[in-house]
Amino acid sequence: MPVPAVFLRDQLYGDPPLARMIRAGRADVRLGVYLCLLARATRAPFDVRHNLTPAAWAEMLRIKDPKGKGARRVTSAFKWLEKERLVTLQRRAGRPPLVQLMDPAGSGGPFETGGYWVQVPHEFWLRGWIFSLRETSQAVLLALLDLLYKADAPRFVTPERHDEYGLSDDTWTRGIRDLSECKLLTVRRVPIGDDWHYDRLRNTYSIDMRRLGDSPGGRKKRQPQPTEPPNPFS
């Protein structure tokens, strides 16, 4: 499932939308909704023409109290995405609004398929990682998938590349710790230089893509509801 790199990285419009989403707080529902929209609206005109109510969205995302507080959180998430010009909502009397994806950089322009996209395996949804990982960990995982694209060996992340994503040092630290605990990420300290010109230790990162094919296990961000949630790919 492709995620536009302009949603993750700083482009022409200031801070990238992902960083703004994380800084705004309570980003778990917003990020979950947006990623599911990207998973569904994969071809022109990049809209979502189904009748999922906010309660159904909350159930799909396994949010507590889906018909009450969960539905209100979903409604708030859609309003935030609309305010940030990532979607437009065509409201209809007595029915859920039609959702139209807009430029993922937040410029307010139309959604286009050009440019670079980060490939996120479907197992991220189908195995439940989207329900298990905190929003900060999901943000760092998306950034690392971009940074480590086609990396055939552990790779450094330079400060310049790090800053492109607009994520705070605290977000990076917590996200890397969580991803390491889940065994999605391997971090190693390696020396820079040679035996005669040793400089310092730096971190290298590698993602175990095979781990996404397993169930997350361990700590859960949200407790699943007793009923089976709708499949976002159906």
Side-chain angles (χ1 to χ4, degrees):
M1 205 287 298
V3 175
V6 293
F7 173 70
L8 311 175
R9 283 194 250 129
D10 183 29
Q11 300 290 324
L12 300 177
Y13 307 101
D15 286 343
L18 177 62
R20 298 200 303 270
M21 186 181 290
I22 296 298
R23 284 201 303 271
R26 303 182 67 84
D28 52 342
V29 178
R30 296 171 193 151
L31 184 55
V33 166
Y34 188 67
L35 291 177
C36 286
L37 289 173
L38 290 175
R40 297 191 66 106
T42 56
R43 63 184 66 181
F46 306 107
D47 57 359
V48 181
R49 295 179 174 272
H50 55 60
N51 290 316
L52 277 184
T53 63
W57 271 98
E59 184 180 358
M60 182 173 73
L61 292 171
R62 300 183 182 179
I63 305 171
K64 291 181 179 179
D65 188 17
K67 294 183 179 180
K69 185 178 180 180
R72 291 192 293 273
R73 293 183 67 190
V74 168
T75 299
S76 176
F78 272 108
K79 289 181 179 178
W80 189 91
L81 292 171
E82 183 181 39
K83 179 177 69 71
E84 293 293 317
R85 302 190 295 179
L86 293 170
V87 304
T88 59
L89 303 178
Q90 181 182 337
R91 292 171 173 83
R92 305 175 293 176
R95 301 173 64 190
L98 298 177
V99 184
Q100 177 78 50
L101 286 175
M102 303 300 290
D103 176 18
S107 71
F111 191 94
E112 298 180 353
T113 56
Y116 177 68
W117 296 66
V118 177
Q119 301 299 319
V120 181
H122 285 163
E123 287 80 8
F124 181 71
W125 284 264
L126 301 180
R127 291 295 184 180
W129 290 98
I130 191 172
F131 311 125
S132 177
L133 291 174
R134 294 187 179 96
E135 63 275 15
T136 50
S137 303
Q138 293 184 43
V140 171
L141 176 62
L142 291 170
L144 288 172
L145 286 172
D146 182 29
L147 286 164
L148 305 178
Y149 176 64
K150 288 188 176 180
D152 55 3
R155 181 176 292 179
F156 298 113
V157 178
T158 66
E160 293 77 16
R161 292 302 312 275
H162 179 285
D163 292 344
E164 289 181 10
Y165 299 91
L167 300 173
S168 69
D169 290 341
D170 182 61
T171 295
W172 278 101
T173 298
R174 286 184 290 153
I176 287 171
R177 180 190 62 218
D178 287 350
L179 296 173
S180 299
E181 290 176 355
C182 294
K183 302 188 186 305
L184 280 171
L185 181 68
T186 299
V187 182
R188 290 189 173 90
R189 299 281 285 172
V190 298
I192 303 300
D194 54 36
D195 293 339
W196 300 99
H197 301 92
Y198 172 75
D199 184 6
R200 64 185 184 278
L201 293 173
R202 288 184 59 183
N203 290 336
T204 62
Y205 304 92
S206 59
I207 297 175
D208 185 356
M209 301 299 289
R210 297 171 300 177
R211 174 74 175 110
L212 286 173
D214 301 329
S215 298
R219 183 185 62 249
K220 298 293 183 181
K221 181 179 65 175
R222 311 182 192 107
Q223 292 298 319
Q225 301 299 316
T227 54
E228 184 68 19
N231 187 331
F233 298 99
S234 61

